[in-house]
Structure formats: structure tokens, C-alpha cells
Amino acid sequence: MSNRPFKVLGIQQVAIGGTDKQRMKKLWVDMLGLEQTGTFQSERENVDEDILAMGRGAMKVEVDIMQPMDIAKKPAVHATPLNHIGLWIDDLPKAVEWLTANGVRFAPGGIRKGAAGYDITFLHPKSNDEFPIAGEGVLIELVQAPADVIAALG
């Protein structure tokens, strides 16, 4: 499909869910040496998240370690250990418009600010009759790339 009005630039993040982010932090920060760059909590998204990073500049990739705020509520960020993968997108609104028009299913919530401050949206992991294209079991986050990432990777 050569008329695609956007480009996937690279991996922005990998999100890992579990019931105890302190245990995950022991591996990712203490053992592997990733730097914690932020935290994020959202009752609506039922997530208590630490934002870790490897690399720098346009080559920085986040590893978000997440636990549910309430283990009995949805979404269950811990239910799938590899919760989602985030992709840098050069033009998120155009991507959403084009993908939707071509049968890609998005999760509820639309474009909104994500944990790291970038505009984000999610492709649904499961297709349906109206939208036959989805993540085939994988939640995929599309992340609006900032200018420096577009310049470096575009």
C-alpha cells in the first residue's frame, strides 16, 4: 500500500506487566542498569508504572514496568507479561485516520497524552467484523514521535 500517509520510525517502548514492579525493578534497574526516568499512575487505566530508559536521544527506548493499582479491576496490566510494544509514528493523526479507513481496530480512548507525555493511541489486540485487522493478540501503542526522533529516524 504505497499511499500510506505516515511512517513507523522505530520502537519507542516495551511495556512489561506484573503484580510487583519492585521485583521487575530489581532486574531492569539493579541488574541490567536501566535508568528510571519517571513514574505514572492512572486509576482509569488501572496502572502504577515506572518508566525506565536505555540509550539516549532519538535512540532511547523506554521499558515501562507496570503493576495494577487494583488487581481485581480491568484493564489487567499484569495479565500479559509483555503488555504492549510502542512504535514511534511520524504523523499520529494521519496514521489513525488511514489505518481506521483501512479496517484496523483501535482500542477505546482515542489519541491522548501517554505516560511519557507524548500523544498515544492503541491498536486493539483483537479484530471484529467491523475492523478485521488488529494486533492478533498483541496490544500495540502508536506514539507521536517528537521532532528530534523524526529527524534522526525519518
Side-chain angles (χ1 to χ4, degrees):
M1 298 188 163
S2 60
N3 62 344
R4 187 178 305 106
F6 68 94
K7 192 166 155 187
V8 174
L9 303 173
I11 293 176
Q12 185 268 337
Q13 70 175 263
V14 175
I16 300 168
T19 57
D20 182 354
K21 72 178 181 177
Q22 293 307 316
R23 290 178 52 88
M24 292 181 280
K25 198 180 228 179
K26 181 80 174 164
L27 171 66
W28 290 96
V29 175
D30 298 346
M31 300 292 107
L32 297 176
L34 275 67
E35 173 188 1
Q36 182 170 341
T37 60
T39 60
F40 178 74
Q41 290 187 331
S42 170
E43 286 187 32
R44 191 184 118 209
E45 295 183 20
N46 192 33
V47 68
D48 177 6
E49 173 178 335
D50 286 344
I51 302 166
L52 313 178
M54 64 178 109
R56 52 177 69 101
M59 303 310 243
K60 180 174 85 173
V61 175
E62 285 181 22
V63 175
D64 296 346
I65 54 175
M66 308 180 308
Q67 68 184 31
M69 294 181 80
D70 182 339
I71 203 157
K73 290 186 178 177
K74 301 280 186 200
V77 299
H78 64 292
T80 305
L82 178 58
N83 185 274
H84 65 271
I85 187 165
L87 303 174
W88 286 125
I89 302 295
D90 66 344
D91 190 327
L92 187 58
K94 280 186 183 172
V96 170
E97 181 182 358
W98 188 85
L99 291 168
T100 301
N102 283 279
V104 175
R105 184 177 182 197
F106 282 84
I111 295 175
R112 59 198 179 273
K113 285 281 181 230
Y118 304 111
D119 284 349
I120 59 117
T121 194
F122 288 92
L123 300 185
H124 202 287
K126 296 178 184 172
S127 62
N128 62 18
D129 289 340
E130 184 180 1
F131 296 100
I133 303 168
E136 295 302 317
V138 177
L139 185 62
I140 301 167
E141 183 174 4
L142 302 183
V143 183
Q144 175 60 59
D148 63 329
V149 172
I150 293 171
L153 302 178

